[in-house]
Amino acid sequence: MNIKPLHDRVVIKRMEEEKLSAGGIVIPDSATEKPVKGEVLAVGEGKPLDNGNVRAPKVKVGDKVLFGKYAGTEIKHEGVDILVVKEDDILAILA
């Protein structure tokens, strides 16, 4: 991917959610919500601070993360749907 986010922005590809319920029932796409899990594809250089320093990002390429349901901006780049969010919108890194 040839996209480089600026400052504290992070590019994420959403991970697909399960299409089966716990009881084995197939859930149609129209009834599912957008996933809030994804994989980090690109990371900016960090958040500029008031004193002129730059805080390094906590996430790195390849991390699996949880992010806010309505966070970021969705775009299509090279035929792939991706999400660009601020690092502050990332809630957790999945182990």
Coordinates of all heavy atoms in Angstrom, one line a residue:
M1 N 0.9 -1.2 0.0 CA 0.0 0.0 0.0 C 0.9 1.2 0.0 O 1.8 1.3 0.8 CB -0.9 0.0 1.2 CG -1.7 1.2 1.4 SD -3.3 1.0 2.1 CE -4.1 -0.1 1.1
N2 N 0.6 2.1 -0.9 CA 1.5 3.3 -1.0 C 0.8 4.6 -0.5 O 0.7 5.6 -1.1 CB 1.8 3.6 -2.5 CG 0.6 3.8 -3.4 OD1 -0.5 3.7 -2.9 ND2 0.9 4.0 -4.6
I3 N 0.3 4.5 0.7 CA -0.4 5.6 1.4 C 0.4 5.8 2.7 O 0.7 4.9 3.4 CB -1.9 5.3 1.6 CG1 -2.6 6.6 2.1 CG2 -2.1 4.2 2.5 CD1 -4.1 6.5 2.1
K4 N 0.7 7.1 3.0 CA 1.5 7.4 4.2 C 0.6 8.5 5.0 O 0.5 9.6 4.5 CB 2.8 8.0 3.8 CG 3.6 8.5 5.0 CD 4.1 7.3 5.8 CE 5.1 7.8 6.9 NZ 5.2 6.9 8.0
P5 N 0.0 8.1 6.1 CA -0.8 9.0 6.9 C 0.1 10.1 7.5 O 1.3 9.9 7.8 CB -1.4 8.2 7.9 CG -0.6 7.0 8.0 CD 0.1 6.8 6.7
L6 N -0.5 11.3 7.7 CA 0.3 12.4 8.4 C 0.1 12.4 9.9 O -0.9 11.9 10.4 CB -0.2 13.7 7.8 CG 0.0 13.9 6.3 CD1 -0.7 15.2 5.9 CD2 1.4 13.9 5.9
H7 N 1.1 12.9 10.6 CA 1.1 13.1 12.0 C 0.6 11.9 12.8 O 1.3 10.8 12.7 CB 0.2 14.3 12.4 CG 0.7 15.6 11.6 ND1 1.9 16.1 11.8 CD2 0.1 16.3 10.7 CE1 2.0 17.2 11.1 NE2 0.9 17.3 10.3
D8 N -0.5 12.0 13.5 CA -0.9 10.9 14.4 C -2.1 10.0 13.8 O -2.8 9.4 14.5 CB -1.3 11.4 15.8 CG -2.5 12.3 15.8 OD1 -2.7 12.9 14.7 OD2 -3.2 12.4 16.8
R9 N -2.1 10.0 12.5 CA -3.2 9.3 11.8 C -2.7 7.8 11.5 O -1.5 7.6 11.4 CB -3.6 9.9 10.5 CG -4.1 11.4 10.6 CD -5.5 11.5 10.3 NE -6.2 12.8 10.4 CZ -5.8 13.9 10.9 NH1 -4.7 14.1 11.4 NH2 -6.6 14.9 10.9
V10 N -3.7 6.9 11.5 CA -3.4 5.5 11.3 C -4.4 5.0 10.2 O -5.5 5.3 10.2 CB -3.6 4.7 12.6 CG1 -3.3 3.2 12.4 CG2 -2.7 5.3 13.7
V11 N -3.8 4.2 9.3 CA -4.7 3.5 8.3 C -5.0 2.1 8.7 O -4.1 1.4 9.1 CB -3.9 3.5 6.9 CG1 -4.8 2.8 5.9 CG2 -3.6 5.0 6.5
I12 N -6.3 1.8 8.7 CA -6.7 0.5 9.2 C -7.6 -0.2 8.2 O -8.4 0.4 7.5 CB -7.5 0.6 10.5 CG1 -6.7 1.3 11.6 CG2 -8.1 -0.7 11.0 CD1 -7.4 1.6 12.9
K13 N -7.4 -1.5 8.0 CA -8.3 -2.3 7.2 C -9.2 -3.1 8.2 O -8.7 -3.8 9.1 CB -7.5 -3.3 6.3 CG -8.4 -4.2 5.5 CD -7.6 -5.1 4.6 CE -8.6 -6.0 3.8 NZ -7.9 -7.0 3.1
R14 N -10.5 -3.0 8.0 CA -11.4 -3.6 8.9 C -11.3 -5.1 8.7 O -11.2 -5.6 7.6 CB -12.9 -3.2 8.6 CG -13.2 -1.8 9.0 CD -14.7 -1.6 8.7 NE -15.1 -0.2 8.8 CZ -15.5 0.4 9.9 NH1 -15.7 -0.3 11.0 NH2 -15.8 1.7 9.9
M15 N -11.5 -5.9 9.9 CA -11.5 -7.3 9.9 C -12.9 -7.8 9.7 O -13.8 -7.2 10.3 CB -10.8 -7.9 11.1 CG -9.4 -7.5 11.3 SD -8.7 -7.9 12.9 CE -8.9 -9.7 13.0
E16 N -13.1 -8.8 9.0 CA -14.5 -9.4 8.8 C -15.0 -10.0 10.1 O -14.3 -10.7 10.8 CB -14.5 -10.4 7.7 CG -14.2 -9.8 6.3 CD -15.3 -8.8 5.9 OE1 -16.5 -9.0 6.1 OE2 -14.9 -7.8 5.3
E17 N -16.3 -9.7 10.4 CA -16.9 -10.3 11.6 C -17.5 -11.7 11.2 O -17.7 -12.0 10.1 CB -18.0 -9.4 12.1 CG -17.5 -8.1 12.7 CD -16.8 -8.3 14.0 OE1 -17.2 -9.1 14.8 OE2 -15.8 -7.5 14.2
E18 N -17.7 -12.5 12.3 CA -18.3 -13.8 12.1 C -19.7 -13.7 11.5 O -20.5 -12.8 11.8 CB -18.4 -14.5 13.4 CG -17.1 -15.0 14.0 CD -16.5 -16.1 13.3 OE1 -17.3 -17.0 12.8 OE2 -15.3 -16.2 13.2
K19 N -20.0 -14.5 10.6 CA -21.4 -14.5 9.9 C -22.3 -15.5 10.6 O -23.5 -15.6 10.2 CB -21.2 -14.9 8.4 CG -20.3 -13.9 7.7 CD -21.0 -12.6 7.4 CE -20.1 -11.8 6.6 NZ -20.5 -10.4 6.5
L20 N -21.8 -16.2 11.6 CA -22.7 -17.2 12.3 C -22.9 -16.7 13.8 O -22.0 -16.2 14.4 CB -22.0 -18.6 12.3 CG -21.9 -19.3 11.0 CD1 -21.2 -20.6 11.2 CD2 -23.3 -19.6 10.4
S21 N -24.1 -16.9 14.3 CA -24.4 -16.6 15.7 C -23.8 -17.8 16.5 O -23.4 -18.8 16.0 CB -25.9 -16.4 15.9 OG -26.5 -17.7 15.8
A22 N -23.9 -17.6 17.8 CA -23.4 -18.7 18.7 C -24.2 -20.0 18.5 O -23.6 -21.1 18.7 CB -23.5 -18.2 20.2
G23 N -25.4 -19.9 18.1 CA -26.3 -21.1 17.9 C -26.1 -21.7 16.5 O -26.8 -22.6 16.2
G24 N -25.3 -21.1 15.7 CA -25.1 -21.6 14.3 C -26.0 -21.0 13.3 O -26.0 -21.5 12.1
I25 N -26.7 -20.0 13.6 CA -27.6 -19.3 12.6 C -26.8 -18.3 11.8 O -26.0 -17.5 12.3 CB -28.7 -18.6 13.4 CG1 -29.6 -19.6 14.2 CG2 -29.6 -17.8 12.4 CD1 -30.6 -18.9 15.1
V26 N -27.0 -18.4 10.5 CA -26.3 -17.4 9.6 C -26.9 -16.1 9.7 O -28.1 -15.9 9.6 CB -26.3 -18.0 8.1 CG1 -25.7 -17.0 7.2 CG2 -25.7 -19.3 8.0
I27 N -26.1 -15.0 9.9 CA -26.5 -13.7 10.0 C -26.3 -13.0 8.7 O -25.2 -12.9 8.2 CB -25.8 -12.9 11.1 CG1 -25.9 -13.7 12.4 CG2 -26.2 -11.5 11.2 CD1 -25.0 -13.2 13.5
P28 N -27.4 -12.4 8.1 CA -27.3 -11.7 6.8 C -26.5 -10.4 6.9 O -26.4 -9.8 8.0 CB -28.7 -11.4 6.3 CG -29.5 -11.5 7.6 CD -28.8 -12.4 8.5
D29 N -25.8 -10.0 5.8 CA -25.1 -8.7 5.9 C -25.9 -7.5 6.3 O -25.4 -6.6 6.9 CB -24.4 -8.5 4.5 CG -23.3 -9.4 4.2 OD1 -22.7 -10.0 5.1 OD2 -23.0 -9.6 3.0
S30 N -27.1 -7.5 5.9 CA -28.0 -6.3 6.3 C -28.2 -6.2 7.8 O -28.6 -5.2 8.3 CB -29.3 -6.4 5.5 OG -30.0 -7.6 5.9
A31 N -28.1 -7.3 8.5 CA -28.3 -7.3 9.9 C -27.1 -7.1 10.8 O -27.1 -7.0 12.0 CB -29.0 -8.6 10.3
T32 N -25.9 -7.1 10.1 CA -24.7 -7.0 10.9 C -24.2 -5.6 10.9 O -24.5 -4.8 10.0 CB -23.6 -7.9 10.3 OG1 -23.3 -7.5 8.9 CG2 -23.9 -9.4 10.3
E33 N -23.5 -5.2 12.0 CA -22.9 -3.9 12.1 C -21.5 -4.0 11.6 O -20.9 -5.0 11.4 CB -22.9 -3.5 13.6 CG -24.2 -3.3 14.2 CD -24.2 -2.8 15.6 OE1 -23.1 -2.5 16.1 OE2 -25.2 -2.8 16.3
K34 N -21.0 -2.8 11.3 CA -19.6 -2.7 10.8 C -18.7 -3.2 11.9 O -18.8 -2.8 13.0 CB -19.3 -1.3 10.4 CG -20.0 -0.9 9.1 CD -19.5 0.5 8.7 CE -20.1 0.9 7.4 NZ -19.7 2.2 6.9
P35 N -17.6 -3.9 11.5 CA -16.7 -4.4 12.6 C -15.9 -3.2 13.2 O -15.7 -2.2 12.5 CB -15.8 -5.3 11.8 CG -16.0 -5.1 10.4 CD -17.3 -4.4 10.2
V36 N -15.6 -3.4 14.4 CA -14.8 -2.4 15.2 C -13.3 -2.9 15.4 O -12.6 -2.4 16.2 CB -15.4 -2.0 16.5 CG1 -16.7 -1.2 16.2 CG2 -15.7 -3.2 17.4
K37 N -13.0 -4.0 14.7 CA -11.6 -4.6 14.8 C -11.0 -4.4 13.4 O -11.6 -4.5 12.4 CB -11.7 -6.1 15.1 CG -12.1 -6.4 16.5 CD -11.8 -7.9 16.7 CE -13.1 -8.6 16.9 NZ -12.9 -10.0 17.2
G38 N -9.7 -4.2 13.5 CA -9.0 -4.1 12.2 C -7.5 -4.3 12.4 O -7.0 -4.4 13.5
E39 N -6.8 -4.3 11.2 CA -5.4 -4.4 11.2 C -4.7 -3.1 10.7 O -5.2 -2.5 9.7 CB -5.0 -5.6 10.2 CG -3.5 -5.8 10.1 CD -3.1 -6.9 9.2 OE1 -4.0 -7.6 8.7 OE2 -1.9 -7.1 9.0
V40 N -3.7 -2.7 11.3 CA -3.0 -1.5 11.0 C -2.2 -1.7 9.7 O -1.3 -2.6 9.7 CB -2.1 -1.0 12.2 CG1 -1.3 0.2 11.8 CG2 -2.9 -0.7 13.4
L41 N -2.4 -0.9 8.7 CA -1.7 -0.9 7.4 C -0.6 0.1 7.3 O 0.4 -0.2 6.7 CB -2.6 -0.8 6.3 CG -3.8 -1.8 6.1 CD1 -4.7 -1.4 4.9 CD2 -3.2 -3.2 6.0
A42 N -0.8 1.3 7.9 CA 0.2 2.3 7.9 C 0.1 3.2 9.1 O -1.1 3.4 9.6 CB 0.1 3.1 6.6
V43 N 1.2 3.8 9.5 CA 1.1 4.7 10.7 C 1.9 6.0 10.4 O 3.0 5.9 9.7 CB 1.8 4.0 11.9 CG1 1.8 4.9 13.1 CG2 1.1 2.7 12.2
G44 N 1.4 7.1 10.8 CA 2.1 8.4 10.7 C 3.3 8.5 11.6 O 3.5 7.6 12.4
E45 N 4.0 9.6 11.5 CA 5.2 9.7 12.3 C 5.0 10.1 13.8 O 5.9 10.0 14.6 CB 6.2 10.8 11.7 CG 5.6 12.1 11.5 CD 4.9 12.3 10.2 OE1 5.0 11.5 9.3 OE2 4.2 13.3 10.0
G46 N 3.8 10.5 14.2 CA 3.5 10.8 15.6 C 2.8 12.1 15.8 O 2.7 12.9 14.8
K47 N 2.3 12.3 17.0 CA 1.5 13.5 17.3 C 2.5 14.6 17.7 O 3.3 14.5 18.6 CB 0.6 13.2 18.5 CG -0.3 14.3 18.8 CD -1.3 13.9 19.9 CE -2.3 15.1 20.1 NZ -3.4 14.7 20.9
P48 N 2.3 15.8 17.0 CA 3.1 16.9 17.4 C 2.6 17.5 18.7 O 1.4 17.7 18.9 CB 2.9 17.9 16.2 CG 2.0 17.3 15.3 CD 1.6 16.0 15.8
L49 N 3.5 17.8 19.6 CA 3.2 18.4 20.9 C 3.4 19.9 20.9 O 4.1 20.4 20.0 CB 4.0 17.7 22.0 CG 3.9 16.2 22.1 CD1 4.9 15.6 23.1 CD2 2.5 15.8 22.4
D50 N 2.8 20.5 21.9 CA 2.9 22.0 22.0 C 4.4 22.5 22.1 O 4.7 23.6 21.7 CB 2.1 22.5 23.2 CG 0.6 22.3 23.0 OD1 0.2 22.3 21.8 OD2 -0.1 22.3 23.9
N51 N 5.3 21.7 22.8 CA 6.6 22.1 23.0 C 7.5 21.8 21.8 O 8.7 22.0 21.8 CB 7.2 21.4 24.2 CG 7.3 19.9 24.1 OD1 7.0 19.3 23.0 ND2 7.7 19.3 25.2
G52 N 7.0 21.3 20.7 CA 7.7 21.1 19.4 C 8.2 19.7 19.3 O 8.6 19.3 18.2
N53 N 8.1 18.9 20.3 CA 8.5 17.5 20.2 C 7.4 16.7 19.5 O 6.3 17.2 19.3 CB 8.7 16.9 21.6 CG 10.0 17.5 22.2 OD1 10.9 18.0 21.6 ND2 10.0 17.4 23.6
V54 N 7.7 15.5 19.1 CA 6.7 14.6 18.5 C 6.6 13.3 19.3 O 7.6 12.7 19.6 CB 7.2 14.2 17.0 CG1 6.2 13.2 16.4 CG2 7.2 15.4 16.2
R55 N 5.4 13.0 19.7 CA 5.2 11.8 20.5 C 5.0 10.6 19.5 O 4.2 10.6 18.6 CB 3.9 11.9 21.3 CG 3.7 10.7 22.3 CD 2.4 10.7 23.0 NE 1.4 10.2 22.0 CZ 0.1 10.6 22.0 NH1 -0.3 11.5 22.9 NH2 -0.7 10.1 21.1
A56 N 5.9 9.6 19.7 CA 5.9 8.4 18.8 C 4.6 7.7 18.9 O 4.0 7.6 20.0 CB 7.1 7.5 19.1
P57 N 4.1 7.1 17.9 CA 2.8 6.3 17.9 C 3.0 5.0 18.8 O 4.1 4.5 18.8 CB 2.5 6.0 16.5 CG 3.7 6.3 15.7 CD 4.6 7.2 16.5
K58 N 1.9 4.6 19.4 CA 2.0 3.4 20.2 C 1.7 2.2 19.4 O 2.0 1.0 19.8 CB 0.9 3.5 21.3 CG 1.1 4.6 22.3 CD 2.2 4.4 23.2 CE 2.1 5.5 24.3 NZ 3.4 6.0 24.6
V59 N 1.0 2.3 18.2 CA 0.7 1.2 17.3 C 1.8 1.1 16.2 O 2.4 2.1 15.9 CB -0.7 1.3 16.7 CG1 -1.7 1.3 17.8 CG2 -0.9 2.5 15.9
K60 N 1.8 -0.1 15.6 CA 2.8 -0.3 14.5 C 2.0 -1.1 13.4 O 1.0 -1.7 13.7 CB 4.0 -1.0 15.0 CG 3.8 -2.3 15.6 CD 5.2 -2.9 16.1 CE 5.0 -4.2 16.7 NZ 4.0 -4.4 17.7
V61 N 2.6 -1.1 12.3 CA 2.0 -1.8 11.1 C 1.9 -3.3 11.5 O 2.8 -3.9 12.1 CB 2.9 -1.7 9.9 CG1 2.4 -2.6 8.8 CG2 2.9 -0.2 9.5
G62 N 0.7 -3.9 11.3 CA 0.5 -5.3 11.6 C -0.3 -5.5 12.9 O -0.8 -6.6 13.1
D63 N -0.4 -4.5 13.7 CA -1.1 -4.7 15.0 C -2.6 -4.9 14.7 O -3.1 -4.3 13.7 CB -1.0 -3.4 15.9 CG 0.3 -3.4 16.6 OD1 1.1 -4.4 16.6 OD2 0.6 -2.3 17.2
K64 N -3.2 -5.7 15.5 CA -4.7 -5.8 15.4 C -5.3 -4.9 16.5 O -4.8 -5.0 17.7 CB -5.1 -7.3 15.7 CG -4.4 -8.3 14.9 CD -5.0 -8.4 13.5 CE -4.6 -9.6 12.7 NZ -3.5 -9.4 11.9
V65 N -6.2 -4.0 16.2 CA -6.7 -3.0 17.1 C -8.2 -3.0 17.1 O -8.9 -3.4 16.2 CB -6.2 -1.6 16.7 CG1 -4.7 -1.5 16.8 CG2 -6.6 -1.2 15.3
L66 N -8.7 -2.4 18.2 CA -10.1 -2.1 18.4 C -10.2 -0.6 18.3 O -9.4 0.2 18.8 CB -10.6 -2.5 19.8 CG -10.8 -4.0 20.1 CD1 -11.2 -4.1 21.5 CD2 -11.8 -4.6 19.1
F67 N -11.3 -0.1 17.6 CA -11.4 1.4 17.4 C -12.9 1.7 17.6 O -13.8 0.8 17.6 CB -10.9 1.8 16.0 CG -11.4 1.0 14.9 CD1 -12.6 1.3 14.3 CD2 -10.7 -0.1 14.4 CE1 -13.1 0.6 13.2 CE2 -11.2 -0.8 13.3 CZ -12.4 -0.5 12.7
G68 N -13.2 3.0 17.8 CA -14.5 3.5 18.0 C -15.4 3.2 16.8 O -15.0 3.1 15.7
K69 N -16.7 2.9 17.1 CA -17.7 2.5 16.1 C -17.8 3.5 15.0 O -18.0 3.2 13.8 CB -19.0 2.3 16.8 CG -20.1 1.7 16.0 CD -21.3 1.5 16.8 CE -22.1 0.3 16.4 NZ -23.2 0.0 17.2
Y70 N -17.8 4.8 15.3 CA -18.0 5.9 14.3 C -16.7 6.7 14.1 O -16.7 7.8 13.7 CB -19.1 6.8 14.8 CG -20.4 6.1 15.0 CD1 -20.9 5.8 16.2 CD2 -21.1 5.6 13.9 CE1 -22.1 5.1 16.4 CE2 -22.3 4.9 14.0 CZ -22.8 4.7 15.3 OH -24.0 4.0 15.4
A71 N -15.6 6.1 14.4 CA -14.3 6.8 14.3 C -13.8 6.8 12.9 O -14.0 5.9 12.1 CB -13.3 6.0 15.2
G72 N -13.1 7.9 12.6 CA -12.3 8.0 11.3 C -13.1 8.3 10.1 O -14.3 8.5 10.1
T73 N -12.4 8.2 9.0 CA -13.0 8.5 7.6 C -12.8 7.2 6.8 O -11.6 6.8 6.6 CB -12.3 9.7 7.0 OG1 -12.5 10.8 7.9 CG2 -12.9 10.0 5.7
E74 N -13.8 6.7 6.2 CA -13.7 5.6 5.3 C -13.4 6.1 3.9 O -14.0 7.0 3.4 CB -15.0 4.8 5.2 CG -15.3 4.1 6.5 CD -16.6 3.3 6.5 OE1 -17.1 3.1 5.4 OE2 -17.0 2.8 7.5
I75 N -12.4 5.4 3.2 CA -12.0 5.7 1.9 C -11.8 4.4 1.1 O -11.6 3.4 1.7 CB -10.8 6.7 1.7 CG1 -9.6 6.0 2.4 CG2 -11.1 8.0 2.3 CD1 -8.3 6.8 2.1
K76 N -11.8 4.5 -0.2 CA -11.5 3.3 -1.0 C -10.2 3.7 -1.7 O -10.1 4.7 -2.4 CB -12.6 3.1 -2.0 CG -12.3 1.8 -2.8 CD -13.6 1.4 -3.6 CE -13.9 0.0 -3.3 NZ -15.2 -0.4 -3.2
H77 N -9.1 2.9 -1.5 CA -7.8 3.1 -2.1 C -7.3 1.8 -2.8 O -7.2 0.8 -2.1 CB -6.8 3.5 -1.0 CG -5.5 3.8 -1.5 ND1 -5.1 4.9 -2.3 CD2 -4.3 3.1 -1.3 CE1 -3.9 4.9 -2.5 NE2 -3.3 3.8 -2.0
E78 N -7.1 1.9 -4.1 CA -6.6 0.8 -4.9 C -7.6 -0.4 -4.7 O -7.2 -1.5 -4.6 CB -5.2 0.4 -4.5 CG -4.2 1.4 -4.7 CD -2.8 1.0 -4.3 OE1 -2.6 0.0 -3.6 OE2 -1.8 1.8 -4.6
G79 N -8.9 -0.1 -4.7 CA -9.9 -1.1 -4.6 C -10.2 -1.7 -3.3 O -11.0 -2.6 -3.1
V80 N -9.5 -1.2 -2.2 CA -9.6 -1.7 -0.9 C -10.3 -0.6 0.0 O -9.9 0.5 0.0 CB -8.2 -2.1 -0.3 CG1 -8.4 -2.6 1.1 CG2 -7.5 -3.1 -1.2
D81 N -11.3 -1.1 0.8 CA -11.9 -0.2 1.7 C -11.1 -0.1 2.9 O -10.8 -1.1 3.6 CB -13.3 -0.7 2.1 CG -14.3 -0.5 1.0 OD1 -14.2 0.4 0.2 OD2 -15.2 -1.4 0.9
I82 N -10.6 1.2 3.3 CA -9.8 1.4 4.4 C -10.4 2.5 5.3 O -11.2 3.2 4.8 CB -8.3 1.7 4.1 CG1 -8.2 2.9 3.2 CG2 -7.7 0.5 3.4 CD1 -6.8 3.4 2.9
L83 N -9.9 2.6 6.5 CA -10.3 3.6 7.4 C -9.1 4.4 7.9 O -8.1 3.8 8.3 CB -11.0 2.8 8.6 CG -11.6 3.6 9.7 CD1 -12.9 4.3 9.1 CD2 -12.0 2.7 10.8
V84 N -9.2 5.7 7.9 CA -8.1 6.5 8.4 C -8.6 7.2 9.7 O -9.7 7.9 9.7 CB -7.8 7.6 7.4 CG1 -6.7 8.5 8.0 CG2 -7.4 7.0 6.1
V85 N -8.0 6.9 10.8 CA -8.4 7.4 12.1 C -7.2 8.1 12.8 O -6.0 7.8 12.5 CB -8.9 6.2 13.1 CG1 -10.0 5.5 12.4 CG2 -7.8 5.2 13.4
K86 N -7.5 8.9 13.8 CA -6.5 9.4 14.7 C -6.1 8.4 15.7 O -6.9 7.5 16.0 CB -7.0 10.7 15.4 CG -7.1 11.9 14.5 CD -7.3 13.1 15.4 CE -6.9 14.3 14.6 NZ -6.3 15.3 15.4
E87 N -4.9 8.4 16.1 CA -4.4 7.4 17.1 C -5.3 7.4 18.3 O -5.5 6.4 19.0 CB -2.9 7.5 17.4 CG -2.4 6.4 18.2 CD -1.0 6.6 18.6 OE1 -0.5 7.7 18.6 OE2 -0.3 5.6 18.9
D88 N -5.8 8.6 18.7 CA -6.6 8.7 19.9 C -7.9 7.9 19.8 O -8.6 7.6 20.8 CB -6.9 10.2 20.2 CG -5.7 11.0 20.6 OD1 -4.7 10.3 21.0 OD2 -5.7 12.2 20.5
D89 N -8.4 7.6 18.6 CA -9.6 6.9 18.3 C -9.4 5.4 18.5 O -10.4 4.6 18.5 CB -10.2 7.2 17.0 CG -10.7 8.6 16.8 OD1 -11.1 9.2 17.9 OD2 -10.7 9.1 15.7
I90 N -8.2 4.9 18.6 CA -7.9 3.5 18.8 C -8.1 3.2 20.3 O -7.4 3.9 21.1 CB -6.5 3.1 18.3 CG1 -6.5 3.3 16.8 CG2 -6.2 1.7 18.7 CD1 -5.1 3.1 16.2
L91 N -8.9 2.2 20.6 CA -9.2 1.9 22.0 C -8.3 0.9 22.6 O -7.9 1.0 23.8 CB -10.6 1.4 22.1 CG -11.7 2.3 21.5 CD1 -13.1 1.6 21.5 CD2 -11.8 3.6 22.2
A92 N -7.8 -0.1 21.8 CA -6.9 -1.1 22.4 C -6.2 -1.8 21.3 O -6.6 -1.8 20.1 CB -7.8 -2.1 23.1
I93 N -5.0 -2.4 21.7 CA -4.3 -3.3 20.8 C -4.6 -4.7 21.2 O -4.5 -5.0 22.4 CB -2.8 -3.0 20.9 CG1 -2.5 -1.6 20.4 CG2 -2.0 -4.0 20.0 CD1 -1.0 -1.2 20.6
L94 N -5.0 -5.6 20.3 CA -5.4 -6.9 20.6 C -4.1 -7.8 20.7 O -3.2 -7.7 19.8 CB -6.3 -7.5 19.6 CG -7.6 -6.8 19.4 CD1 -8.4 -7.3 18.3 CD2 -8.5 -6.9 20.7
A95 N -4.0 -8.6 21.7 CA -2.8 -9.5 21.9 C -3.0 -10.8 21.1 O -4.0 -11.2 20.8 CB -2.6 -9.7 23.3

